[in-house]
Amino acid sequence: MGKNKLEKFADMAGYPHVFEYPYSVADNVPFGMRGNWHERFFKNDHPIVLELGCGRGEYTVGLGRMFPGKNFIGVDIKGARMWTGATESLEAGMTNVAFLRTNIEIIDRFFAPGEVSEIWLTFSDPQMKKATKRLTSTYFMERYRKFLVDNGIVHLKTDSNFMFTYTRYMIEKNGLPVRVMTEDLYHSGMADDILSIKTYYEQQWLDRGLNIKYIKFCLPQASELQEPDVEIELDEYRSYNRSKRSGLQTSK
Ligand SMILES: C[S@@+](CC[C@H](N)C(=O)[O-])C[C@H]1O[C@@H](n2cnc3c(N)ncnc32)[C@H](O)[C@@H]1O
């Protein structure tokens, strides 16, 4: 039988590559790894890549396996989900993978300017009601710029037409350079080993017959970012009034 939530929390508390700093803790305890991830934790100078809203961490662990010359950190507030990737990477002896349990709203407290090279956003909640909660809004882009290298890469993989369309408007409004874009990844011929890693949520959306969309763009430091003022058709398969919960059965 699988472990229950409390057992998973107990495991996580003892894992050397898991850092747990939700709001309540982060306010009171200084985070010593900020600006020191390379030297103190990874013990190399390889690029650092974040997966924000990593859930079980399929991208963090999958990319970690594919790219031993890069470091990966999965970030999410839900510890019981993160446990899956944290346990897998620990048991596999991976030294280029870590997990940070915190609220993404305060993500800039954990990384120093220029410390991160790339960000993956995997099946982020579209937050159709409130742009300031949406992980591709200018509100979050401003936060990411505080620690991302100039022209750092942002990847968005999503089922959500709303999230994809919104992100395109945000990119267009701010003239951000787009490197790759597809509205139907698995019928585009672009689904290489990296883009074919499938997350827990992704698999469920695929089972429901949805197309997976993908955008890769750069985030320059210089210009002032402006929030797009557009109306976007809502995803009909999600409940607008309960947009925190998608139509999917949620896992803990
Ligand atoms: C829809 S799930 C996707 C999980 C995983 N990437 C996947 O594709 O299976 C979104 C995840 O983002 C996390 N999340 C959303 N907003 C967050 C925030 N502001 N801070 C921390 N985690 C957040 C949730 O806890 C959840 O695990």
Side-chain angles (χ1 to χ4, degrees):
M1 213 177 64
K3 294 197 176 189
N4 67 30
K5 238 178 161 182
L6 289 179
E7 289 168 326
K8 289 180 179 176
F9 290 157
D11 282 352
M12 293 267 287
Y15 285 177
H17 66 324
V18 172
F19 299 85
E20 303 202 64
Y21 286 83
Y23 271 139
S24 48
V25 173
D27 267 350
N28 305 321
V29 180
F31 186 68
M33 216 52 86
R34 184 177 194 271
N36 297 307
W37 283 95
H38 285 115
E39 200 184 324
R40 291 205 199 146
F41 183 77
F42 292 114
K43 314 228 185 289
N44 60 42
D45 59 1
H46 301 162
I48 293 179
V49 181
L50 305 185
E51 183 188 5
L52 300 181
C54 68
R56 299 168 184 216
E58 288 90 345
Y59 261 84
T60 302
V61 177
L63 292 175
R65 282 211 173 88
M66 281 180 202
F67 299 99
K70 290 187 182 184
N71 302 313
F72 296 89
I73 305 176
V75 182
D76 205 295
I77 193 61
K78 301 237 169 151
R81 289 182 185 179
M82 182 181 280
W83 176 88
T84 303
T87 303
E88 192 181 330
S89 51
L90 187 71
E91 288 176 352
M94 297 173 77
T95 54
N96 63 336
V97 167
F99 286 88
L100 171 62
R101 189 170 83 75
T102 193
N103 304 81
I104 299 166
E105 285 77 3
I106 55 168
I107 189 71
D108 47 306
R109 294 196 200 175
F110 300 92
F111 301 95
E115 201 169 16
V116 173
S117 298
E118 251 173 86
I119 292 177
W120 279 84
L121 301 169
T122 51
F123 299 87
S124 314
D125 305 304
Q127 299 288 358
M128 295 189 284
K129 268 191 169 171
K130 220 169 171 197
T132 52
K133 289 187 164 187
R134 206 170 296 146
L135 295 186
T136 57
S137 67
T138 53
Y139 175 81
F140 277 97
M141 292 296 142
E142 289 294 5
R143 277 183 163 50
Y144 306 155
R145 287 211 294 197
K146 292 187 181 169
F147 54 80
L148 201 56
V149 295
D150 190 20
N151 276 311
I153 301 283
V154 180
H155 307 256
L156 170 71
K157 207 178 172 196
T158 184
D159 57 285
S160 165
N161 194 50
F162 180 94
M163 184 75 166
F164 182 74
T165 306
Y166 166 81
T167 305
R168 282 176 60 178
Y169 279 123
M170 190 284 296
I171 287 171
E172 211 175 285
K173 174 100 184 173
N174 293 292
L176 308 181
V178 173
R179 295 285 176 253
V180 181
M181 177 160 69
T182 170
E183 290 189 41
D184 188 358
L185 176 63
Y186 294 113
H187 295 104
S188 67
M190 290 180 195
D192 56 11
D193 286 351
I194 299 172
L195 293 176
S196 298
I197 293 176
K198 292 198 182 53
T199 73
Y200 175 80
Y201 273 80
E202 176 172 5
Q203 191 55 58
Q204 296 203 37
W205 294 123
L206 283 169
D207 292 346
R208 285 177 56 170
L210 292 175
N211 287 345
I212 302 304
K213 296 125 186 108
Y214 171 72
I215 313 184
K216 174 180 178 179
F217 61 97
C218 300
L219 186 54
Q221 291 288 346
S223 56
E224 195 181 310
L225 295 175
Q226 291 184 358
E227 188 58 25
D229 183 15
V230 283
E231 273 205 20
I232 301 166
E233 194 182 332
L234 303 177
D235 295 334
E236 61 186 25
Y237 55 95
R238 290 175 196 269
S239 167
Y240 181 66
N241 289 323
R242 293 180 300 130
S243 62
K244 265 188 138 174
R245 300 175 57 192
S246 64
L248 288 177
Q249 226 185 354
T250 56
S251 69
K252 295 290 176 338

